[in-house]
Each structure stands twice: as structure tokens, then as C-alpha cells.
Amino acid sequence: MLEIRQIACLQDNYGFLIRCSETGEVASIDTPDANALIAEAGRAGWSIGHIWNTHHHWDHTGGNSDIAQHYGAEITAPAAEADKIGAVQHKVKPADRVTLGALTAEVIDTGGHTLGHIAYWFESEAVLFSGDALFALGCGRLFEGTPGQAQAGLARLRSLPDETLVYCAHEYTAANARFALDIDPDNAALKTYAAEVETARKAGQATVPFALGREKHTNPFLRWDDAALRQRLGLEGASDAHVYAAVRKAKDNF
Ligand code: ZN
Ligand code: FE
């Protein structure tokens, strides 16, 4: 029902065109590069009627106006960031539902990277568009929100089914894997994953999308309640948000 085309854009971004195969409606999840997305839509014979933004950063919204002009596309974006994004027709809030033809996605609050950051979850398709909130083996930097806010958003994402395929907005996995191995060196599942990532990247392959179930066991930003990780950080009795914050700080200084 949900067709997805993934387009490498800019330095390390991914853009996504998604289509409801029943009605033919198409949305662009963020707009890192209008020309690249319009070219891909042309190859597919798709017309981009909708833009769904995850947050206000330029590498996610920079193509909004060109794509909106080219197709008359309508923009859906977090209400909390609508003023920064501009020309937003559909301002959405956490727990809202947005439709693409016959398909429905839930808006999930993943504030922290930016205050109003949202993810789009297609439960029926087991697909999540996580923007810069969750990456393979990593997560977005905490630019605007608090650790507690970011950790709450990641906790919600972690609660989604293991089979969920995550489409994040950046190919950062190889660098994320190096940090993950540094902070969680005895994690056998992580070692296997990191080796696969290295092989894939050497072959020029994308590591996105990725399965959420595997992240739950390997991504240090989803492992705030792991006893070994807590012990390593000297944070056995700390709050979940505190453990998340310590991992985030360690990554920022890595
Ligand atoms: Zn961003
Ligand atoms: Fe980004």
C-alpha cells in the first residue's frame, strides 16, 4: 500500500517520496533538495501533492517552496515550528493523525533536537519516518530541548513494534557505530551490527532503513535502562533521562 523511494541528497541526507498505491497520492517527507526530489518524482511518474516536515532545519525544509510551487503541494508541519518553516497549511500536534490517500500516519512528539520535532508513524505499514530524532545507532543532537524531553520521545519510539522499519534523515551510521562500540564495547549484537555497517558502507550501500527491534539492543541512546551501560557510566541509580544525557554528552565529545 505504501510505496517508498529513498533519495540521497546533499552531503548525507536522505529524502523520501511516499505514495499510497490505492489513490496515487504522493508526499515528500522533508525536502532536503528540491531538484533531486522533483527529478526522482519525474522518473517515477509521481506528482508530489504533499510535503510533511519533521522539523524546521534547512536540510529538511529547504526545498519546501520550490516543490510547493512546482506541484501546488500543501505543507504539513509541526504547529510549534510553523512560524519558522513558513507557508504551512496543516499545522499538526503530537498524537494527530495525517492521511495520505487511504493511509494514516500518527504524529509522534520527538522534541529535543528541535523543540517541536515530530516523527510520522504508519502503524499499518510498520514504517516510521524519524527525521533527526532517531538514527541508526544514534540520535539527533540536543539543540533546543531538554534531556528529559528527548528521552521521552525516544522512549515512545522504542515502544513501537520491533518489526518497524525506520527511515531516518541522515546516513550517519558508520560514525555512530564507532561511538556505540566505544561506550558499549562488550555488546555482541552491536559488534555484529557494526561489522555489517562497515561492509555495507564500503560497498556504497545505504544503512537506512533499519529495523527498530535491532536498535533496541544496540543503539546506546535507547539503552538508558541497560545495567551494564549504567554501570560503565557510573550511573546505576540515576534517572533514565540522566543516563540518556550522559550518553548524549559523551557522543558530543567523542
Ligand atoms: Zn535537524
Ligand atoms: Fe538534519
Side-chain angles (χ1 to χ4, degrees), residues 94-111:
D96 280 357
R97 287 170 188 277
V98 287
T99 58
L100 179 73
L103 298 167
T104 300
E106 181 182 331
V107 173
I108 297 181
D109 181 1
T110 45

Side-chain angles (χ1 to χ4, degrees), residues 55 57 59-60 113 132:
H55 66 296
H57 286 158
D59 61 313
H60 300 259
H113 176 70
D132 284 357

Side-chain angles (χ1 to χ4, degrees), residues 12-13 30 54-55 57-60 113 131-132 135 169-170 172:
D12 50 36
N13 279 77
D30 286 331
T54 59
H55 66 296
H57 286 158
W58 69 274
D59 61 313
H60 300 259
H113 176 70
D132 284 357
F135 300 130
H170 290 275
Y172 288 159

Side-chain angles (χ1 to χ4, degrees), residues 21-184:
S21 55
E22 208 174 303
T23 65
E25 288 212 59
V26 175
S28 184
I29 305 291
D30 286 331
T31 59
D33 182 336
N35 290 336
L37 292 162
I38 290 170
E40 181 70 12
R43 280 190 288 276
W46 294 1
S47 173
I48 305 171
H50 309 270
I51 293 165
W52 293 4
N53 289 129
T54 59
H55 66 296
H56 68 81
H57 286 158
W58 69 274
D59 61 313
H60 300 259
T61 57
N64 275 21
S65 56
D66 282 355
I67 290 174
Q69 258 176 39
H70 196 272
Y71 298 98
E74 296 195 351
I75 301 173
T76 296
E81 301 186 357
D83 290 348
K84 285 181 173 152
I85 293 170
V88 176
Q89 280 94 347
H90 306 286
K91 300 173 186 174
V92 293
K93 296 194 173 74
D96 280 357
R97 287 170 188 277
V98 287
T99 58
L100 179 73
L103 298 167
T104 300
E106 181 182 331
V107 173
I108 297 181
D109 181 1
T110 45
H113 176 70
T114 62
L115 279 176
H117 192 297
I118 56 174
Y120 295 95
W121 178 42
F122 287 91
E123 181 175 12
S124 65
E125 311 295 306
V127 163
L128 174 74
F129 293 96
S130 65
D132 284 357
L134 176 67
F135 300 130
L137 293 175
C139 73
R141 272 175 182 264
L142 201 54
F143 285 124
E144 297 180 7
T146 63
Q149 183 187 13
Q151 189 267 332
L154 290 172
R156 178 72 208 291
L157 297 186
R158 196 180 75 166
S159 76
L160 303 182
D162 284 357
E163 63 269 23
T164 306
L165 262 190
V166 184
Y167 292 78
C168 68
H170 290 275
E171 179 62 63
Y172 288 159
T173 317
N176 288 343
R178 285 191 283 279
F179 168 74
L181 285 169
D182 187 71
I183 201 165
D184 194 12

